[in-house]
Amino acid sequence: MVTRMAEKWTLWTLAVLAEAGEPMRFSRVMEKVEDVSQKSLTKTLRQLERDGLVTREVFPEVPPRVEYEVTDLGLEMLEQVHPLWVWAVENLDRFQKAQATFDQR
């Protein structure tokens, strides 16, 4: 689970669904998660659903409509991860300086 939480698309997809505050169709999620491939987003959503972080509802229409929504467990996880995101953003300059120093050696 820790490895999955550290994956780029996992957190981004969860954040998009949480921010929406309502079920989203696959195509809308894909628009918001910039640069993700259809294959990667499909894999990510399946893993999130399996882990109980996202629900998936299929509507019997032609063509089928599928909507995704973040669960309470997913929201709880995002609440725990949010302070780390804030810390990383606040220290981005420090990371970049350390990387530049290292690269110059």
Side-chain angles (χ1 to χ4, degrees), residues 28-45:
R28 298 295 153 252
V29 177
M30 193 159 174
E31 287 173 3
K32 299 283 186 178
V33 183
E34 297 172 18
D35 298 326
V36 69
S37 69
Q38 183 174 345
K39 181 179 177 180
S40 292
L41 183 58
T42 297
K43 179 183 172 190
T44 298
L45 286 166

Side-chain angles (χ1 to χ4, degrees), residues 93 95-105:
D93 287 343
F95 293 130
Q96 290 172 338
K97 286 178 185 173
Q99 291 166 353
T101 300
F102 181 88
D103 293 344
Q104 289 174 358
R105 290 193 278 166

Side-chain angles (χ1 to χ4, degrees), residues 14-24 68-70 75:
L14 270 179
V16 162
L17 290 168
E19 188 175 278
E22 61 185 11
M24 289 182 75
Y68 298 89
E69 187 171 17
V70 67
L75 291 172

Side-chain angles (χ1 to χ4, degrees), residues 58-75:
V58 180
F59 296 87
E61 301 172 356
V62 178
R65 178 170 51 109
V66 180
E67 292 183 343
Y68 298 89
E69 187 171 17
V70 67
T71 64
D72 288 341
L73 183 61
L75 291 172

